């Protein structure tokens, strides 16, 4: 017990940050990514300033040369950017590296302190794409409002001090309005001593002088003087014991999912740099599609479990040593199959915005891997054509029936069982998969008339709209061309419509209702050249000038194409589409 107590030590926040900067503190490969939101960091600093404890840390002192040489360690993040810079840089260590500490418990808090006091934090603004630019992901620094205690009845965080991550523009706008007086936490490091800092505090003409003169010296003391970082130091050089401690300690704090634990196991026992390999694959997938597809380690690990583990649930005992070894041994093929699966669905016209159930890609990865066709599946549109056509039909129907919305492990395992039964056949067994789930109403791949009516009422920008159109236009050559959704009678006509003499009030309301002109009955798929030629041109004019094949575009022949006959047109077009869709999905 005495030895245990002796292993508890304490240091200041500033000393901890010095150790991070000098790489005396490193992160072991079993640690996951930094996941704290900006609000959590702000609340952490409020807790520190109010004198609340910030819990105990755990450090593993690495002295064994074989551990230094044989395991991966990483730097702390300094400049965090959501999605684009979330992964820690690998720091190469060898047997001669000076002894250092691996942070087992406390990574999120230490990274938060480091980013706030020394670095920057950037996250995506609402309603913008994942494009790496300052406009979409503005750089932010942490500030403290010195105008007074925090008062916001709508904020449930019960903070006393208003810490806030601000962009440069937000800071300047606030200062210009004169509502708040912000102190940049980076400025704590502009002073060579406490006395110099205090002279600055007491000589400054603060708007709320008493609050600022009470708050800033307290903040300085919390960062530089008080030993707030209390940690337990583990000295034993046994990786398995430390891994067990890691799992136990990470049950608290930021919740640790089974996928996090599985990632820890893979990282600990792979010879490769797992984080770099996974991150590289995620970046490669993000380069596919417009907007690009987004996957993470959860998706990669789930795919690996489907490929190599009998039980595919995120459980530690499913990730046995032999499974980890098989994943590492076949990693090049696995990553290639994942890339080719996403390239394939991109060739069908899918992207991140219209393909919401990413687990639907895993059976395609499995089919490609088990049939050893990752080198040929996308090389020639004519190769594997029948397989890809059936696979595309299954993919669209699976998305529309939302079969991966819940109990996805049950669905993935059931599909894998069917694929395994037909592994020696060069075809995707859609009918057999459909049969396997016919008794489960929530996972059935069948459609009734009511479901089809609902699909035909989808709007152009609904994520499910494209899978419906990909089914309806299944006669198109999806491997060779990119297709776009477009209105038959142009949207601009209805949006800009003014009441004309020929139009009654009832007709006017009908034409203005986007349930009539923005849904499936007035939509079509066009390849790039046809889409450019169509633009906002009247339907009748465009068809005549371009000599459009009405059968190919699924446009009814027995109705006027003049927009004045729009009511009759969409009635007949809906009937045509419904008949075709029911034929395809039965």
């Amino acid at each position: 017990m005495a030895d245990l107590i002796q292993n508890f030590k304490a240091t200041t926040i500033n000393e901890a940050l010095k150790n991070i900067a000098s790489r005396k503190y490193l992160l072991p490969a079993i640690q996951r990514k930094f996941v704290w939101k900006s609000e959590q960091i702000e609340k952490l600093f409020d807790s520190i300033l109010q004198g609340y404890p910030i819990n105990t840390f755990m450090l593993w002192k690495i002295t064994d040369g074989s551990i230094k040489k044989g395991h991966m360690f990483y730097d702390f993040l300094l400049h965090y950017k959501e999605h684009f810079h979330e992964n820690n840089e690998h720091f190469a260590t060898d047997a001669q590296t000076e002894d250092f500490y691996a942070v087992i418990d406390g990574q999120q808090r230490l990274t938060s302190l480091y980013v706030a006091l020394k670095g920057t934090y950037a996250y995506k603004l609402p309603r913008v794409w994942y494009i790496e630019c300052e406009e979409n992901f503005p750089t932010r620094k942490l500030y403290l409002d010195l105008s007074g205690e925090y008062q916001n009845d709508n904020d449930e965080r019960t903070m006393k001090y208003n810490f806030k991550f601000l962009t440069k523009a937000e800071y300047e706008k606030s200062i210009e309005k004169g509502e708040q007086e912000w102190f940049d936490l980076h400025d704590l490091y502009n002073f060579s001593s406490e006395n110099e800092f205090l002279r600055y505090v007491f000589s400054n003409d603060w708007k709320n002088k008493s609050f600022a003169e009470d708050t800033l010296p307290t903040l300085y003391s919390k960062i530089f003087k008080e030993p707030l970082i209390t940690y337990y130091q583990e000295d034993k050089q046994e990786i398995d014991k430390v891994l067990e401690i890691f799992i136990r300690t990470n049950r608290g704090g930021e919740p640790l999912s089974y996928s996090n634990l599985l990632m820890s196991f893979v990282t600990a026992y792979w010879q490769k740099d797992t984080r770099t390999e996974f991150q590289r694959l995620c970046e490669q997938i993000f380069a596919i599609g417009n907007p690009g597809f987004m996957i993470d380690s959860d998706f990669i690990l789930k795919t690996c479990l489907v490929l190599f583990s009998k039980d595919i649930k995120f459980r530690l005992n499913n990730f046995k040593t032999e499974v980890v070894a098989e994943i590492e041994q076949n990693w090049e093929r696995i990553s290639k199959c994942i890339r080719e699966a996403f390239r394939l669905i991109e060739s069908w016209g899918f992207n991140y915005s219209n393909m919401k159930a990413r687990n639907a890609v895993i059976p395609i990865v499995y089919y490609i891997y088990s049939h050893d066709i990752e080198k040929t599946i996308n090389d020639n549109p004519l190769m594997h054509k029948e397989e890809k056509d059936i696979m595309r039909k299954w993919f669209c129907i699976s998305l529309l029936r939302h079969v991966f919305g819940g109990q996805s492990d049950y669905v993935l395992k059931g599909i894998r069982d069917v694929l395994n039964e037909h592994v020696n056949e060069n075809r995707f067994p859609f009918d057999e998969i459909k049969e396997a789930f016919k008794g489960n109403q929530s996972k059935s791949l069948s459609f009734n008339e009511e479901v089809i009516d609902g699909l035909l009422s989808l709007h152009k920008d609904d994520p499910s709209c494209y899978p419906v159109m990909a089914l309806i236009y299944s006669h198109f050559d999806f491997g060779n061309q990119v297709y776009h959704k477009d209105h038959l009678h142009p949207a601009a006509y209805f949006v800009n419509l003014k009441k004309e003499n020929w139009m009654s009030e009832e007709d006017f309301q009908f034409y203005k209702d986007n349930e009539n002109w923005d849904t499936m009955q007035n939509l079509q798929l066009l390849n790039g050249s046809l889409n450019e030629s169509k633009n906002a041109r009247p339907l009748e004019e465009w068809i005549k000038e371009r000599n459009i094949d009405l059968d190919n575009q699924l446009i009814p022949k027995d109705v006027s194409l003049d927009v004045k006959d729009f009511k009759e047109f969409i009635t007949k077009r809906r009937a045509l589409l419904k008949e075709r869709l029911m034929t395809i999905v039965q």
Side-chain angles (χ1 to χ4, degrees), residues 289-352:
N290 183 25
F293 296 104
M294 296 174 65
I295 64 171
D296 54 20
S297 59
D298 282 20
F299 175 86
I300 299 171
L301 289 169
K302 179 61 70 176
T303 302
C304 291
L305 285 174
V306 172
L307 288 172
F308 301 114
S309 177
K310 183 178 180 180
D311 188 340
I312 66 172
K313 293 185 182 300
F314 277 141
R315 292 175 178 165
L316 291 177
N317 58 3
N318 289 337
F319 229 74
K320 299 177 175 63
T321 304
E322 58 268 24
V323 173
V324 177
E326 196 166 7
I327 294 171
E328 182 172 21
Q329 182 181 350
N330 294 283
W331 174 247
E332 294 303 321
R333 281 201 65 209
I334 295 168
S335 56
K336 172 75 171 173
C337 289
I338 293 175
R339 289 195 300 272
E340 294 307 313
F342 278 97
R343 283 186 61 202
L344 179 60
I345 64 173
E346 181 199 25
S347 74
W348 298 337
F350 286 92
N351 54 46
Y352 174 72

Side-chain angles (χ1 to χ4, degrees), residues 473-506:
Y473 287 90
S474 57
H475 56 289
F476 281 5
D477 185 2
F478 284 90
N480 275 328
Q481 302 185 61
V482 176
Y483 293 93
H484 307 274
K485 296 175 292 182
D486 191 36
H487 294 94
L488 288 162
H489 288 287
Y493 172 81
F494 301 98
V495 172
N496 300 320
L497 186 65
K498 300 291 187 289
K499 189 173 181 181
E500 304 286 351
N501 293 332
W502 62 268
M503 185 175 289
S504 67
E505 178 64 27
E506 179 183 347

Side-chain angles (χ1 to χ4, degrees), residues 516-572:
N516 297 319
W517 60 262
D518 189 49
T519 49
M520 203 70 61
Q521 57 211 8
N522 190 42
L523 298 176
Q524 64 179 334
L525 282 187
L526 296 175
N527 63 27
S529 61
L530 281 178
N531 191 41
E532 289 179 7
S533 72
K534 176 65 172 68
N535 204 357
R537 299 179 69 188
L539 176 61
E540 188 174 36
E541 175 186 317
W542 173 71
I543 286 177
K544 288 179 180 178
E545 290 188 6
R546 297 289 297 191
N547 195 25
I548 298 298
D549 184 336
L550 298 184
D551 290 331
N552 191 62
Q553 288 304 124
L554 301 175
I555 298 173
K557 297 178 178 179
D558 58 343
V559 65
S560 167
L561 300 180
D562 191 309
V563 73
K564 290 184 178 181
D565 299 306
F566 180 64
K567 279 187 177 182
E568 183 183 6
F569 171 81
I570 62 171
T571 300
K572 293 198 172 183

Side-chain angles (χ1 to χ4, degrees), residues 364-418:
I364 298 177
V365 177
Y366 190 88
Y367 183 87
I368 294 172
Y369 186 92
S370 61
H371 285 75
D372 197 16
I373 57 174
E374 65 268 21
K375 294 180 180 178
T376 58
I377 187 71
N378 289 308
D379 282 357
N380 186 332
L382 298 178
M383 292 188 69
H384 313 288
K385 187 175 187 312
E386 184 177 349
E387 296 165 81
K388 291 189 288 188
D389 286 346
I390 298 174
M391 201 182 303
R392 184 178 62 83
K393 178 179 177 179
W394 165 83
F395 186 73
C396 292
I397 290 175
S398 295
L399 293 178
L400 294 175
R401 296 297 287 146
H402 306 292
V403 298
F404 291 94
Q407 296 180 318
S408 61
D409 285 345
Y410 161 75
V411 176
L412 287 170
K413 188 175 183 304
I415 294 174
R416 184 182 67 176
D417 290 343
V418 176

Side-chain angles (χ1 to χ4, degrees), residues 7-12 15-17 19-20 24-28 31 56-63 73 76 100-107 109-110 229-237 242 245-246 249:
N7 279 11
F8 277 94
K9 306 176 187 298
T11 189
T12 65
E15 284 301 314
L17 299 192
N19 288 335
I20 289 173
K24 191 173 181 180
Y25 288 178
L26 293 173
L27 295 170
Q31 282 282 15
T56 305
F57 298 72
M58 179 174 288
L59 306 182
W60 177 27
K61 187 173 183 179
I62 310 292
T63 58
F73 296 93
F76 279 76
F100 59 88
Y101 295 86
V103 177
I104 301 301
D105 187 25
Q107 175 210 357
R109 286 166 288 160
L110 284 174
I229 306 294
T230 302
Y231 63 93
Y232 173 79
Q233 180 176 308
E234 176 58 59
D235 295 320
K236 294 179 181 177
Q237 306 297 291
V242 172
I245 294 172
F246 170 77
T249 56

